[in-house]
Amino acid sequence: MIQQFLDILTEEFGFSEEAAHRIRSAWEQDRTTLVTAILAARLISEPEVLEILGRVYHLAFLPALDPDQADDTWTRDIPRHFLRKAVLVPLLKKDSRPVIAINDPSDLSFADDVAARLDLDDPELVLAPRAAVLSAINILYDRTGDSASQLVEDMAENEYVIDDLVQTADLLDEVSDAPVIRLVNRIISQAVKAGASDIHIEPFQETLKVRYRIDGIMYERLTPPKGVQASLISRIKVMANMNIAEKRVPQDGRAQVRIGDQEIDIRISTVPTSYGERLVMRLLNKSGYFLSFAQFGLSRENLALLHRIIRRTHGIVLVTGPTGSGKTTTLYAGLSEINSPDKNIITIEDPVEYNLAGIGQIQVNPKTGVTFARGLRAIVRQDPDVVLVGEIRDIETAGIAIQSALTGHLVFSTLHTNDAAGAVTRLKDLGVESYLIASSVNTIIAQRLVRVLCPHCRTSRRLTPADAETLSVKGDPASLAEKIVYEPQGCSRCFDTGYLGRQAIFEILEMDDEIRHLVLETSETGRIKDAAVGKGMKTLRQDGMAKVFEGITSIREVLRVTQE
């Protein structure tokens, strides 16, 4: 079998004898799973492996699976963890031959066991990528009574609360009998599935609410019984190694969980309130890849401008915006694009949210004296080419960043201002001299995140003159009245919000000689902004309106994030 596989690789894919020998060696060293052993050689992609194995074993290869219409009643008969370990999933539909999707054809005993358990007569075996199989398993089980809402109902009916929660810390331990443990697991896994960035557990006098922040907006998802409050909070605190006995002071902790192939880092914060501890979990998907600028939905002009900005050799690039506007993601995307073996890139962040391969990252820790200013002062002695400062908060950090930029380093950092021109005023408020700002700052980028309309349920309408006037759109009113714009409606695929995901809108102020002279003369944000617009800068609202005309977002959403 392995020889037939290697023959196809050498004859049709042009693999050398050395490459074939490496794959055979990997298989001989680890015979647990064939696909894993082959992929360990890092010479061929998973879809190519499965396509070839399909030919060897005479099985169809499906790059994607569709579990939406499949039956899920059998999920009560087979434990989820068994299917995840075997990496297989049955897809049963009425009036069609039963299908069992597997990832590895070298051992069919698990598939035989499932077929016998479900009394399947002659099921069709198909090959599918590991991620597709695991995703289908999660979808089918999440549709059954093991959902968070069903667990809440069961707990309310049985009035069953567990006090001893110190035993289990594995998120995917589906065999646990503790309802609170399973409820926490389901809350986190469903939040990840919905793309939530935060989970809020909020106690009130007679109720307990669980809310998710999805695409920047809060949505209420669950109302567990008040009696489960203490156990629910304690379970999460145990996961983060926090003191479950101390409920009178705020606490912070961290936990890591794995959901399928996704590694989730959770930052947990508790504060005491009148009705018990209030808990917030910030979810960071460390398995997600970093977007490149090309995937941000940037206009062609802004994309070319950003590519030019991040490849400069010195100066400061500032990204401004409120908390949660994607500043860190933009900076990481920029670092990822310029990261190469010939550059020394060092960051100082609070906290280090994602690990970037090949980049030195320093965590701010005031308890040990590692502040932004002290860390940055140490970084400049590490011979860096590019420096990222998580945030400029005081005159000391700003001064060191400016000196670094003036001595030949490219510095990335963030500020909290409403628009690009406001960053100049903010730096002057911190105590930075005008001539230092003019000589060191290359570019100021203001950004916001707008929600993307759900393509499955959005509705269209014609733009009205009032809309055009509100959004400051220039052009002939008659021609504007003919433009089509879209509005959210809501469906099951977007959790009835009308939106799926977010894109960034930008306002990029590039400092030239005229703007630099203006910075030396005045601190008025309006004059600086007007001068930049006169030289071709698109404001946040104008960039947002371009996305409205493209059908990406709605007028209401642009107005929400660009309030002036």
Side-chain angles (χ1 to χ4, degrees), residues 116-190:
R117 176 68 174 172
L118 300 180
D119 294 325
L120 301 181
D121 184 21
D122 187 29
E124 177 187 3
L125 294 181
V126 299
L127 296 178
R130 179 184 179 87
V133 174
L134 295 177
S135 176
I137 293 172
N138 289 335
I139 290 172
L140 290 170
Y141 277 86
D142 285 345
R143 289 206 322 241
T144 63
D146 201 20
S147 66
S149 59
Q150 184 63 47
L151 281 168
V152 167
E153 293 178 14
D154 293 343
M155 294 170 71
E157 292 173 2
N158 298 327
E159 297 182 357
Y160 186 87
V161 178
I162 293 295
D163 292 324
D164 184 11
L165 298 175
V166 187
Q167 299 302 317
T168 305
D170 182 4
L171 179 69
L172 296 177
D173 185 5
E174 297 296 337
V175 299
S176 172
D177 291 328
V180 175
I181 293 178
R182 290 191 287 122
L183 176 60
V184 171
N185 293 352
R186 295 277 64 74
I187 287 174
I188 296 175
S189 63
Q190 290 184 5

Side-chain angles (χ1 to χ4, degrees), residues 256-267:
Q256 276 195 333
V257 298
R258 183 176 292 277
I259 300 175
D261 287 341
Q262 301 181 77
E263 186 179 341
I264 309 298
D265 189 42
I266 307 176
R267 296 210 308 267

Side-chain angles (χ1 to χ4, degrees), residues 82-131:
F82 171 81
L83 296 183
R84 294 180 58 82
K85 181 179 180 180
V87 195
L88 67 86
V89 60
L91 300 174
L92 312 182
K93 298 181 181 180
K94 292 182 178 180
D95 304 324
S96 63
R97 184 182 177 189
V99 172
I100 298 180
I102 62 176
N103 180 248
D104 195 321
S106 62
D107 185 359
L108 301 180
S109 59
F110 292 120
D112 293 337
D113 291 341
V114 169
R117 176 68 174 172
L118 300 180
D119 294 325
L120 301 181
D121 184 21
D122 187 29
E124 177 187 3
L125 294 181
V126 299
L127 296 178
R130 179 184 179 87

Side-chain angles (χ1 to χ4, degrees), residues 183-357:
L183 176 60
V184 171
N185 293 352
R186 295 277 64 74
I187 287 174
I188 296 175
S189 63
Q190 290 184 5
V192 172
K193 180 182 176 183
S197 60
D198 301 85
I199 303 172
H200 292 243
I201 300 177
E202 304 166 327
F204 298 96
Q205 185 172 3
E206 298 180 353
T207 60
L208 179 66
K209 292 184 178 180
V210 177
R211 296 198 292 169
Y212 295 168
R213 184 178 294 278
I214 303 172
D215 294 336
I217 305 297
M218 296 286 287
Y219 297 96
E220 185 175 322
R221 287 301 181 205
L222 292 170
T223 53
K226 181 71 174 176
V228 80
Q229 175 180 317
S231 296
L232 184 64
I233 299 295
S234 294
R235 166 59 184 164
I236 297 171
K237 291 171 72 173
V238 165
M239 292 173 61
N241 293 318
M242 299 163 70
N243 186 352
I244 63 174
E246 181 57 77
K247 303 178 181 180
R248 300 165 299 174
V249 298
Q251 292 189 60
D252 294 306
R254 301 186 76 155
Q256 276 195 333
V257 298
R258 183 176 292 277
I259 300 175
D261 287 341
Q262 301 181 77
E263 186 179 341
I264 309 298
D265 189 42
I266 307 176
R267 296 210 308 267
I268 299 167
S269 171
T270 65
V271 294
T273 70
S274 302
Y275 304 111
E277 288 182 285
R278 189 183 192 279
L279 185 143
V280 176
M281 291 183 278
R282 167 64 62 88
L283 307 178
L284 299 170
N285 192 334
K286 303 181 76 171
S287 302
Y289 64 92
F290 296 108
L291 295 175
S292 65
F293 286 140
Q295 295 167 294
F296 272 35
L298 286 158
S299 64
R300 185 177 302 175
E301 297 81 5
N302 282 345
L303 180 60
L305 187 55
L306 282 178
H307 278 144
R308 187 171 74 250
I309 289 167
I310 63 175
R311 284 170 173 79
R312 289 177 174 168
T313 57
H314 62 277
I316 296 178
V317 177
L318 291 173
V319 182
T320 75
T323 301
S325 60
K327 302 186 296 294
T328 301
T329 301
T330 297
L331 291 174
Y332 279 167
L335 291 182
S336 297
E337 292 208 7
I338 63 174
N339 186 21
S340 61
D342 61 340
K343 282 188 173 64
N344 181 21
I345 302 176
I346 305 178
T347 76
I348 179 163
E349 307 167 64
D350 182 21
V352 175
E353 295 189 355
Y354 299 98
N355 296 321
L356 298 174

Side-chain angles (χ1 to χ4, degrees), residues 483-496:
K483 287 187 176 292
I484 299 295
V485 295
Y486 293 87
E487 295 294 335
Q489 181 173 340
C491 65
S492 60
R493 300 193 188 188
C494 59
F495 296 92
D496 294 318

Side-chain angles (χ1 to χ4, degrees), residues 344-392:
N344 181 21
I345 302 176
I346 305 178
T347 76
I348 179 163
E349 307 167 64
D350 182 21
V352 175
E353 295 189 355
Y354 299 98
N355 296 321
L356 298 174
I359 293 177
Q361 295 175 274
I362 300 172
Q363 168 80 49
V364 168
N365 189 351
K367 294 180 180 179
T368 60
V370 182
T371 62
F372 275 118
R374 188 171 180 179
L376 183 55
R377 191 178 289 110
I379 285 175
V380 296
R381 294 193 291 269
Q382 292 281 313
D383 186 32
D385 297 298
V386 182
V387 176
L388 172 96
V389 185
E391 183 182 350
I392 293 179

